[in-house]
């Protein structure tokens, strides 16, 4: 069934494995233990990421590095059914409503300043068990009717022009 080595040092783990192997091997078994990955420190990236999930922190990690690990924010370009509406590349995450929680407290990080304006003062170092959430931007729609390829609703985004709406249909 295996041997539980949780919380042991590498030396203690080697010694424990040698003791257990002596039950099955003649002589003193030679065991080498190498640490390949640290998986006890995690950050949570949930919501409108390309690949949301729980990510390991093997080294000090910045917010931008974690966002990049999750593929960045979800956009229409990353969706399979682009024909459902919306300009290509438009984010499906509302950066103004997104947040980070550490020790049950929200951190004052402005994702829009970090990601849209390149303000690196918002690029904080993460700590184990930080929770990063990209809130969904709920669709507002405009209806494109008339002499277009397909009459349908198109997702409205801030600053959208008439030509972009028509191109979406």
């Amino acid at each position: 069934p295996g041997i539980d080595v949780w919380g042991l040092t590498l030396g203690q783990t080697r010694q424990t494995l040698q003791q257990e192997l002596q039950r099955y091997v003649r002589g003193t078994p030679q065991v080498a233990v190498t640490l390949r990955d640290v998986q006890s420190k995690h950050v949570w990236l949930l919501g409108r990421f390309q690949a949301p999930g729980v990510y390991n922190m093997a080294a000090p990690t910045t917010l931008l590095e974690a966002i990049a690990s999750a593929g960045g924010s979800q956009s229409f370009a990353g969706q399979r059914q682009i024909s459902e509406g919306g300009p290509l590349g438009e984010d499906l995450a509302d950066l103004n409503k997104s947040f980070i929680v550490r020790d049950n407290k929200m951190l004052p990080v402005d994702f829009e300043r970090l990601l849209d304006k390149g303000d690196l003062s918002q690029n904080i170092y993460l700590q184990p068990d930080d929770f990063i959430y990209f809130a969904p931007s709920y669709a507002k729609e405009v209806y494109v009717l008339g002499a277009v390829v397909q009459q349908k609703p198109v997702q409205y985004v801030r600053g959208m022009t008439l030509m972009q709406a028509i191109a979406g249909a």
Side-chain angles (χ1 to χ4, degrees):
I3 299 169
D4 185 15
V5 295
W6 180 260
L8 299 180
T9 65
L10 292 178
Q12 292 169 331
T13 299
R14 184 181 55 76
Q15 186 178 13
T16 301
L17 292 174
Q18 282 177 336
Q19 290 171 354
E20 289 295 317
L21 283 171
Q22 282 180 341
R23 297 170 53 193
Y24 306 103
V25 177
R26 291 185 199 158
T28 304
Q30 297 298 312
V31 175
V33 178
T34 304
L35 180 63
R36 290 184 13 202
D37 193 13
V38 177
Q39 296 188 2
S40 61
K41 297 179 180 179
H42 306 344
V43 291
W44 305 74
L45 291 108
L46 302 175
R48 296 294 184 188
F49 287 99
Q50 293 290 345
V54 181
Y55 289 85
N56 295 324
M57 284 181 56
T61 305
T62 65
L63 179 56
L64 279 177
E65 290 169 336
I67 291 170
S69 295
S73 67
Q74 231 177 28
S75 66
F76 278 108
Q79 300 300 303
R80 293 190 179 176
Q81 295 181 349
I82 294 173
S83 63
E84 290 298 315
L88 291 178
E90 181 63 33
D91 283 341
L92 293 176
D94 184 342
L95 298 178
N96 289 320
K97 294 180 183 169
S98 299
F99 57 87
I100 298 178
V101 173
R102 176 180 294 159
D103 297 326
N104 295 322
K105 295 177 186 154
M106 289 181 60
L107 299 181
V109 173
D110 187 333
F111 286 100
E112 191 169 21
R113 280 181 36 204
L114 175 64
L115 298 174
D116 290 344
K117 297 178 179 154
D119 182 356
L120 294 180
S121 69
Q122 302 299 307
N123 190 24
I124 64 171
Y125 275 95
L126 298 176
Q127 294 181 7
D129 295 322
D130 278 357
F131 177 89
I132 303 151
Y133 181 71
F134 272 12
S137 62
Y138 293 101
K140 297 176 185 171
E141 297 174 329
V142 295
Y143 291 85
V144 180
L145 306 171
V148 293
V149 174
Q150 186 177 12
Q151 297 183 30
K152 65 178 188 172
V154 175
Q155 181 177 356
Y156 172 79
V157 293
R158 191 173 10 157
M160 180 181 217
T161 65
L162 177 60
M163 289 303 297
Q164 289 171 323
I166 292 171

